[in-house]
Amino acid sequence: MTTNRVKTGIDGLDEMLGGGFLPQTANLIEGAPGTGKTTLGMQFIYNGIVKYNEPGLIITFEEFPRQYYYDAAGLGWDFARLEKEGRLKIIMTSPEVSQKDLEDVGGIVENLVTTMGIRRILVDSMTHFERITQNQTELRAIQYGFINALKREGLTSLLTKESPALLGEAPEGDSDLAFVVDSYSILRYVEIDSAIRKAMLVLKMRGSDHAKDIRQYDIDTQTGFQLKAKFEGQEGILSGSPRRSMIDAFDEAFIK
Amino acid sequence: MKGDPNLAGQDDFTAKLMNDMPTELLDFVKTKVNSFIKWDLVRFFYENPNTVDTAENIAKYAGRHLSAVTPELEDLIAGNVMDKKIVGDQVTYSLTQDKAMRRLIETFVLACEDRHFRVKAVYHIIRNMQ
């Protein structure tokens, strides 16, 4: 097993991932709107550039690049400067064009890998591939081809996917993509004591051990994605409406 | 009206006033960004400089009809403002990689922050459309 890791540079997350993502793998982050998928992805790219000297590429299928510059600037990350320095590229395109580009010799991504030495890529979001075809088998083949092409280019990718479920588990069969990728993490809203908190769980990581606990996190306006302690004394967190564990309830009722 | 010497004089004065901008920008407005759709497209690609997409998707981003956007994109390609590339079976459009042209586009967009410049640019576009 390789010990070489592609670190996210986010405190606590690399530990959850057994040291970081494995090189040249596709890593899916799925979550509801506002859970911080894009922020996490931007941080993966930004830290790659400034902490590990690995140029990055962001392919967006929905948000305009100017929104990334704006959001990144709010977190103190100067994406425009990094682009000028040739260490970052933010490309807006469509899944159809992106898919064909990766099949082409001398395509845009291939050229950027060669000229800029791109090592990391954020694809935001894979959900948009669903507009290419309604046929699930065909969609899976397209996604598989796309992910393999990224690996061929030697890229470690972070792929985002929208989950339709705001609270609780996503509908069954919604995450076919989870079978195709190398690692699969979910971001969820959780309601505790009449307040919404956010939870992260790494569900799958091929070829590596990873943390199994469900961790709290926040999106800090100064520092971005901040992983916190795991949920203590709660059960059924992924249902979106956890309850106190039996032991905690017993303690609360008879001991405290 | 054409025969009215006073109005003719006024037209000359207006034209002179509206031409009062740096030569390269005047040429850019008259020959490259000579429609409102082109103006929108140039602004969009300036703000999102690495966009590579089909005319259909660019039309969606610009909030315009494909039939209106496609000929304007072709004009911008002819004017060296944009590039066209075939990716697989898709025709894609992107901002030119020409550094001098990119600088000119930036100069134009920044100049548009000034209301007086915008008025002059609008004047030339309307003149071109007539």
Side-chain angles (χ1 to χ4, degrees):
Chain A
M1 193 176 83
T2 178
T3 53
N4 193 15
R5 298 285 176 154
V6 178
K7 292 184 183 299
T8 64
I10 298 168
D11 288 342
L13 182 55
D14 287 326
E15 288 73 26
M16 274 188 92
L17 297 167
F21 294 127
L22 290 167
Q24 299 177 31
T25 54
N27 306 282
L28 180 66
I29 305 286
E30 188 190 311
T35 47
K37 302 180 295 294
T38 302
T39 305
L40 176 56
M42 289 198 304
Q43 203 157 351
F44 168 70
I45 295 294
Y46 179 76
N47 285 345
I49 296 167
V50 300
K51 289 187 178 175
Y52 309 111
N53 198 26
E54 293 187 349
L57 170 64
I58 296 174
I59 292 184
T60 165
F61 297 139
E62 185 177 18
E63 291 280 13
F64 291 145
R66 66 170 180 241
Q67 190 64 45
Y68 286 83
Y69 303 131
Y70 183 81
D71 292 345
L75 291 160
W77 309 333
D78 193 344
F79 274 15
R81 180 177 57 82
L82 292 175
E83 272 207 315
K84 276 184 185 155
E85 291 172 356
R87 298 198 285 166
L88 169 70
K89 197 76 136 182
I90 305 176
I91 294 178
M92 180 170 198
T93 185
S94 51
E96 303 92 309
V97 171
S98 194
Q99 181 206 359
K100 298 288 182 193
D101 175 70
L102 282 163
E103 288 169 2
D104 259 10
V105 176
I108 299 160
V109 173
E110 187 189 324
N111 275 334
L112 291 174
V113 169
T114 308
T115 57
M116 287 175 61
I118 299 284
R119 303 282 297 278
R120 300 175 178 220
I121 183 169
L122 162 65
V123 181
D124 194 17
S125 79
M126 292 297 287
T127 311
H128 289 262
F129 276 88
E130 289 166 15
R131 73 182 193 215
I132 297 179
T133 176
Q134 301 292 312
N135 182 314
Q136 287 303 307
T137 309
E138 193 183 349
L139 177 62
R140 196 157 162 171
I142 290 169
Q143 290 170 333
Y144 201 72
F146 179 79
I147 287 167
N148 276 339
L150 296 177
K151 290 182 184 178
R152 270 201 309 277
E153 298 295 346
L155 299 168
T156 304
S157 52
L158 194 151
L159 318 167
T160 66
K161 186 176 185 296
E162 288 153 28
S163 166
L166 276 179
L167 283 167
E169 291 183 55
E172 201 172 328
D174 188 59
S175 276
D176 268 4
L177 190 56
F179 293 102
V180 179
V181 293
D182 299 287
S183 87
Y184 175 41
S185 304
I186 55 173
L187 307 179
R188 288 279 184 271
Y189 288 116
V190 182
E191 184 193 344
I192 297 175
D193 297 335
S194 303
I196 294 293
R197 294 196 218 168
K198 291 171 182 161
M200 179 178 193
L201 171 65
V202 179
L203 278 170
K204 155 188 169 178
M205 201 162 171
R206 265 186 205 139
S208 169
D209 196 12
H210 60 87
K212 312 293 189 298
D213 48 350
I214 303 169
R215 300 279 294 271
Q216 299 183 60
Y217 71 93
D218 272 334
I219 304 296
D220 186 272
T221 51
Q222 301 292 315
T223 55
F225 197 90
Q226 268 200 342
L227 213 54
K228 296 187 166 181
K230 67 178 182 179
F231 286 89
E232 298 281 3
Q234 302 281 341
E235 291 176 347
I237 289 164
L238 293 183
S239 70
S241 306
R243 59 198 172 277
R244 276 183 301 164
S245 66
M246 294 287 278
I247 294 171
D248 269 43
F250 181 86
D251 280 357
E252 182 79 17
F254 300 108
I255 298 175
K256 285 180 183 172
Chain B
M1 283 201 10
K2 273 185 181 173
D4 188 333
N6 290 330
L7 283 178
Q10 197 174 6
D11 275 354
D12 285 348
F13 176 74
T14 307
K16 199 176 171 186
L17 191 68
M18 294 300 143
N19 283 342
D20 182 25
M21 63 170 81
T23 315
E24 62 171 5
L25 284 181
L26 182 62
D27 182 60
F28 187 70
V29 171
K30 282 185 169 178
T31 63
K32 314 279 190 196
V33 192
N34 51 11
S35 75
F36 290 115
I37 295 178
K38 287 196 190 88
W39 188 338
D40 286 352
L41 291 171
V42 163
R43 186 170 185 86
F44 171 78
F45 277 94
Y46 169 75
E47 288 177 344
N48 305 285
N50 303 309
T51 301
V52 183
D53 221 328
T54 58
E56 194 178 9
N57 286 325
I58 290 166
K60 276 185 211 158
Y61 306 147
R64 305 269 188 176
H65 287 291
L66 175 63
S67 58
V69 165
T70 306
E72 304 284 7
L73 285 170
E74 292 297 329
D75 278 356
L76 290 169
I77 286 160
N80 191 34
V81 175
M82 294 194 62
D83 288 339
K84 181 156 108 174
K85 194 183 171 195
I86 309 292
V87 178
D89 54 356
Q90 312 264 356
V91 178
T92 65
Y93 299 86
S94 57
L95 197 62
T96 179
Q97 294 301 311
D98 183 277
K99 285 182 179 169
M101 181 56 80
R102 282 200 171 207
R103 266 197 301 275
L104 185 55
I105 291 165
E106 183 174 23
T107 308
F108 168 74
V109 174
L110 295 178
C112 286
E113 288 175 8
D114 176 57
R115 185 177 170 275
H116 297 297
F117 180 86
R118 282 202 307 275
V119 169
K120 292 171 190 172
V122 168
Y123 167 84
H124 286 296
I125 286 172
I126 290 171
R127 288 275 297 227
N128 179 64
M129 288 163 71
Q130 282 171 343

